[in-house]
Amino acid sequence: MAGPRTISLDAMGGDRGPAVVVPGAALALQRHPDIDFLLVGDRVRIEPHLAEHPEVAERSRVVHTDITVEMQDKPSQALRRGRGSSMWLALEAVQKGEAACAVSAGNTGALMAMARLILGTMPGIERPVIAGQWPTVGHNSIVLDLGANIGATARQLADYALMGAAMARALFGIERPRVGLLNIGVEEIKGVEEVRQAHAWLKENDLPIDYRGFVEGDQIGQGIVDVVVAEGYAGNIALKTAEGTAKQMAAYVREALTSSLAAKIGALLADSGLRALRERMDPRGFNGGPFLGLNGIVIKSHGGMDAFGFASAIRVGYDMADSNLIAHLAADLEALHGKLSSNKSPEAKQA
Amino acid sequence: MAGPRTISLDAMGGDRGPAVVVPGAALALQRHPDIDFLLVGDRVRIEPHLAEHPEVAERSRVVHTDITVEMQDKPSQALRRGRGSSMWLALEAVQKGEAACAVSAGNTGALMAMARLILGTMPGIERPVIAGQWPTVGHNSIVLDLGANIGATARQLADYALMGAAMARALFGIERPRVGLLNIGVEEIKGVEEVRQAHAWLKENDLPIDYRGFVEGDQIGQGIVDVVVAEGYAGNIALKTAEGTAKQMAAYVREALTSSLAAKIGALLADSGLRALRERMDPRGFNGGPFLGLNGIVIKSHGGMDAFGFASAIRVGYDMADSNLIAHLAADLEALHGKLSSNKSPEAKQA
């Protein structure tokens, strides 16, 4: 088994392939000089970038393939045609223990389908989820599921809580992360049945989390919990709406600060503060959404990210591998499932 | 039947009751000097405020009651104890035709339960929804359902489209409002079954709307449609998340503009632009969420609003009554239901 140091990269994924992946690897090496890379993809397209980044070349092995998964491929097509593709081989390296994690900026649906097939899901987990970091007024929070699955049972929501907690532990070093369940009212009487049942279970059972109950959409950004658990449809809508609102606000601020000559001079004077603001909201800084619930670590980078953003995704993978997340999470999930079946069966309790 | 000019106000609703309602009425009169008010509530508490606002006193009739619905009352309690309350009588005035609409800043659940009981739902409508205005880069959009109902059938989502369109017509004077359906992917293959079925119906049938297909959460604020239709749980999460993100961004901007002496001077210079920004994002300007699907117009004001915000809610009610919304919406819904049952039955098509 490889240590956290070997990371396989789908060099052909994303809008610009190796032109982003290789410089991204270079930036990641600045933070973690001990990483070794497997660069999977078309050697002819990768090598010019390695020539520009000898520090990456020195720590990389190129695994050649000329098969690539296209952004518009449906998951079923990708599974049929994508065997041996850069995405496939990057995942297979994790399955074979040659890499501690895989990072791809390719087609999300294809990556999820392949990851499930190649790595398999953890015991008791039917479908993996996508998690992400959400900037808050404090440190980032973890939000999951961001849309891998539509609909979630109470038991799946409880699983998500442990998955998100494992990620918070890996990324932020918090031993007992505070976990909240996304709902539309803080009173216990509100909300869908699955959410209420998951709430009861998370409250009753002794788990390696600090369960804080329901949170509403407007509380995610307040950072009152480290992990926000949501059904995938709701989680995706929350994420997209927040992204849209942040962009809208940024446009308003830009407009306000260019509305007059005085405003423009004012903006110049406030430049350093505004630059800090831009850095804080920079989506590249929290790029990298892990798939959780698989027998291996897979990080999805946004397809449109630049090298700086891709490096963030590599760092997420590094931290997760470094914390031995898979083994710890498997143990946490096993303990939870034991508790839930030794109480009453989920179905009996839900009724 | 009263013209649009008579509006009944639950004078005891909201955190500050008549101290906000009466000055709010005064502000609404500045825009629409032809409104007459029914001020329903405790005469002793209302009259001192009328003394301060003789222009409101002149156009108001006080309907006394000393029964009030409390903010923490459950809907069932409110229905039991709230008969004859200020909320009840304000709604009853609409039912009796003494007022063209009712506005209350009271307990949302209680107001919804009472409104259903007193006014009844429109033919073919089981449960009313809550709509709201959403600021976009262009004019405001209408978003519904904001959380009155958890879960929605395809037919209910189609109803919401017509309800939202009626509101957009009333508020913005748009004859064929652009309508989008909130979903988590723009491809038709994604999303829950009910949303997909509603999408098919809205596309196939000739309706008094300009149906634009799916929109994602990040597109709501772009103003690409006039009406965004969502299932209530998703709609509420979108709304709350947007509110939270807007607050978070505002806090960041404040911090950026006070981070140094230069930044503070810059902020002073940019003051007029920043003031326009604040006005644009001021939630008081788009306060007032109608309940749609009832045989009468009911507007819910946020409980924490000041007079300026309450006046916005009154204006929403005025515009909706002025456009004869109920009669037009009833006709639109009847036509839709006729079309859906003359094609195949919803169940048969959904399978």
Side-chain angles (χ1 to χ4, degrees), chain B residues 1 11 25 38 42 65 85 88-89 107 120 190 192 195 206 233 238 241 251 268 279 337-338 345:
Chain B
M1 179 69 169
L38 294 180
D42 184 349
T65 174
S85 63
W88 181 283
L89 296 177
N107 180 329
K190 286 196 191 173
V192 281
V195 174
D206 183 33
Y233 185 79
T241 308
L268 279 178
E279 274 169 26
H337 297 161
S345 78

Side-chain angles (χ1 to χ4, degrees), chain A residues 3-348:
Chain A
R5 289 174 202 85
T6 305
I7 297 180
S8 66
L9 305 180
D10 169 8
M12 312 313 283
D15 299 347
R16 293 167 57 213
V20 158
V21 171
V22 175
L27 287 169
L29 273 178
Q30 289 178 10
R31 172 84 69 95
H32 297 297
D34 59 343
I35 309 178
D36 292 308
F37 293 108
L38 294 180
L39 281 170
V40 192
D42 184 349
R43 184 180 294 279
V44 176
R45 288 190 52 203
I46 294 170
E47 277 174 351
H49 299 287
L50 285 180
E52 279 178 43
H53 293 280
E55 74 281 25
V56 178
E58 205 173 282
R59 300 199 67 91
S60 297
R61 182 158 67 85
V62 175
V63 179
H64 175 77
T65 174
D66 42 26
I67 307 172
T68 50
V69 172
E70 301 299 328
M71 287 312 250
Q72 66 280 7
D73 285 353
K74 295 204 172 127
S76 54
Q77 293 175 317
L79 286 185
R80 269 199 315 276
R81 302 184 204 149
R83 200 165 287 257
S85 63
S86 58
M87 189 182 273
W88 181 283
L89 296 177
L91 292 165
E92 210 175 50
V94 176
Q95 189 267 322
K96 289 182 179 165
E98 294 165 8
C101 74
V103 183
S104 174
N107 180 331
T108 310
L111 185 65
M112 179 59 92
M114 274 189 196
R116 284 180 68 181
L117 184 67
I118 294 172
L119 296 169
T121 52
M122 299 177 85
I125 300 296
E126 262 173 74
R127 296 176 58 88
V129 299
I130 302 178
Q133 292 185 66
W134 189 294
T136 80
V137 293
H139 70 71
N140 288 352
S141 291
I142 308 291
V143 181
L144 76 168
D145 174 25
L146 293 178
N149 303 303
I150 291 178
T153 63
R155 176 167 149 168
Q156 285 169 326
L157 291 170
D159 289 342
Y160 297 180
L162 294 184
M163 294 175 183
M167 184 173 161
R169 225 169 275 131
L171 263 57
F172 313 135
I174 305 165
E175 204 38 53
R176 273 178 82 83
R178 297 164 302 166
V179 176
L181 201 50
L182 188 64
N183 201 4
I184 70 169
V186 287
E187 299 158 64
E188 291 195 24
I189 48 156
K190 285 196 190 174
V192 283
E193 194 44 54
E194 292 78 10
V195 174
R196 290 174 59 177
Q197 177 62 68
H199 172 68
W201 281 338
L202 292 172
K203 222 166 53 170
E204 285 161 17
N205 288 291
D206 182 31
L207 301 170
I209 61 172
D210 175 9
Y211 180 63
R212 295 293 183 101
F214 293 137
V215 296
E216 291 195 62
D218 55 346
Q219 297 177 306
I220 307 176
Q222 292 172 17
I224 57 172
V225 291
D226 304 303
V227 177
V228 177
V229 169
E231 177 275 321
Y233 186 79
N236 188 283
I237 283 174
L239 175 75
K240 289 288 177 70
T241 308
E243 284 175 359
T245 307
K247 264 187 218 162
Q248 186 181 347
M249 292 284 292
Y252 288 174
V253 172
R254 256 195 313 277
E255 203 177 299
L257 295 177
T258 52
S259 58
S260 67
L261 181 61
K264 284 180 197 166
I265 296 168
L268 279 178
L269 284 169
D271 185 53
S272 70
L274 292 170
R275 206 178 319 123
L277 167 65
R278 273 193 296 274
E279 273 168 28
R280 207 160 169 181
M281 294 305 295
D282 186 346
R284 300 179 304 166
F286 36 92
N287 180 44
F291 292 171
L292 292 164
L294 294 162
N295 294 312
I297 299 168
V298 179
I299 312 294
K300 171 71 176 79
S301 164
H302 195 287
M305 278 291 152
D306 65 5
F308 184 89
F310 196 79
S312 300
I314 294 175
R315 280 201 291 272
V316 169
Y318 182 94
D319 285 346
M320 286 177 64
D322 196 35
S323 75
N324 203 8
L325 180 137
I326 300 291
H328 290 145
L329 178 56
D332 289 350
L333 287 171
E334 198 188 334
L336 170 70
H337 297 161
K339 276 174 187 142
L340 294 188
S341 52
S342 74
N343 296 350
K344 295 183 199 162
S345 78
E347 283 65 32

Side-chain angles (χ1 to χ4, degrees), chain B residues 278-335:
Chain B
R278 273 193 296 274
E279 274 169 26
R280 207 160 168 183
M281 295 306 296
D282 186 347
R284 300 178 304 165
F286 35 92
N287 180 44
F291 292 172
L292 293 165
L294 294 162
N295 294 312
I297 299 168
V298 179
I299 312 294
K300 170 71 175 79
S301 165
H302 195 287
M305 278 291 151
D306 65 5
F308 185 89
F310 195 78
S312 300
I314 294 175
R315 281 201 292 272
V316 169
Y318 182 95
D319 286 346
M320 286 177 65
D322 196 34
S323 75
N324 203 7
L325 180 136
I326 299 292
H328 290 144
L329 178 55
D332 289 350
L333 287 170
E334 199 189 333

Side-chain angles (χ1 to χ4, degrees), chain B:
Chain B
M1 179 69 169
R5 288 173 202 85
T6 305
I7 296 180
S8 65
L9 304 180
D10 169 9
M12 312 312 282
D15 298 347
R16 292 168 56 214
V20 158
V21 171
V22 175
L27 287 170
L29 273 178
Q30 289 177 10
R31 173 84 70 96
H32 297 298
D34 58 344
I35 309 177
D36 292 309
F37 293 108
L38 294 180
L39 282 170
V40 192
D42 184 349
R43 185 180 293 279
V44 176
R45 288 190 51 203
I46 295 170
E47 276 172 353
H49 299 285
L50 285 180
E52 279 178 43
H53 293 279
E55 74 281 25
V56 178
E58 206 173 281
R59 301 199 66 92
S60 299
R61 183 159 67 85
V62 175
V63 179
H64 175 77
T65 174
D66 42 25
I67 307 173
T68 50
V69 172
E70 301 299 327
M71 288 312 249
Q72 66 279 9
D73 284 353
K74 296 207 172 123
S76 55
Q77 293 176 318
L79 286 185
R80 270 199 315 275
R81 302 183 204 151
R83 201 166 286 257
S85 63
S86 58
M87 188 182 274
W88 181 283
L89 296 177
L91 292 165
E92 209 174 51
V94 176
Q95 189 267 325
K96 289 183 177 165
E98 293 165 7
C101 74
V103 183
S104 174
N107 180 329
T108 309
L111 185 65
M112 180 59 93
M114 274 189 196
R116 285 180 68 180
L117 184 67
I118 294 173
L119 296 170
T121 52
M122 299 176 85
I125 300 296
E126 263 173 74
R127 296 175 59 88
V129 299
I130 302 177
Q133 293 185 68
W134 189 294
T136 80
V137 292
H139 70 69
N140 289 352
S141 292
I142 308 292
V143 181
L144 76 168
D145 173 27
L146 292 179
N149 304 302
I150 291 178
T153 64
R155 177 169 148 166
Q156 285 169 327
L157 292 170
D159 289 343
Y160 296 0
L162 294 183
M163 293 175 183
M167 184 173 161
R169 225 169 273 131
L171 262 58
F172 314 134
I174 305 165
E175 203 38 53
R176 274 178 80 83
R178 298 164 301 167
V179 176
L181 201 49
L182 188 64
N183 202 3
I184 71 168
V186 286
E187 299 158 64
E188 291 194 23
I189 49 156
K190 286 196 191 173
V192 281
E193 193 44 53
E194 292 79 10
V195 174
R196 291 174 59 176
Q197 177 62 70
H199 172 69
W201 282 339
L202 292 171
K203 223 167 51 171
E204 284 161 18
N205 289 291
D206 183 33
L207 301 169
I209 62 171
D210 175 8
Y211 180 63
R212 295 292 182 99
F214 294 136
V215 296
E216 291 195 61
D218 55 347
Q219 297 177 307
I220 307 176
Q222 291 171 18
I224 57 171
V225 291
D226 305 304
V227 177
V228 177
V229 169
E231 177 275 320
Y233 185 79
N236 187 282
I237 283 174
L239 175 75
K240 289 287 176 70
T241 308
E243 283 175 358
T245 307
K247 263 187 220 161
Q248 186 182 348
M249 291 283 292
Y252 288 174
V253 172
R254 255 195 313 276
E255 202 177 300
L257 294 176
T258 51
S259 57
S260 67
L261 182 62
K264 283 180 196 166
I265 296 168
L268 279 178
L269 284 169
D271 185 53
S272 71
L274 292 171
R275 207 180 316 125
L277 167 65
R278 273 193 296 274
E279 274 169 26
R280 207 160 168 183
M281 295 306 296
D282 186 347
R284 300 178 304 165
F286 35 92
N287 180 44
F291 292 172
L292 293 165
L294 294 162
N295 294 312
I297 299 168
V298 179
I299 312 294
K300 170 71 175 79
S301 165
H302 195 287
M305 278 291 151
D306 65 5
F308 185 89
F310 195 78
S312 300
I314 294 175
R315 281 201 292 272
V316 169
Y318 182 95
D319 286 346
M320 286 177 65
D322 196 34
S323 75
N324 203 7
L325 180 136
I326 299 292
H328 290 144
L329 178 55
D332 289 350
L333 287 170
E334 199 189 333
L336 171 70
H337 297 161
K339 277 174 187 142
L340 295 188
S341 52
S342 75
N343 296 352
K344 296 185 199 159
S345 78
E347 283 65 33
K349 275 209 101 163
Q350 207 149 357

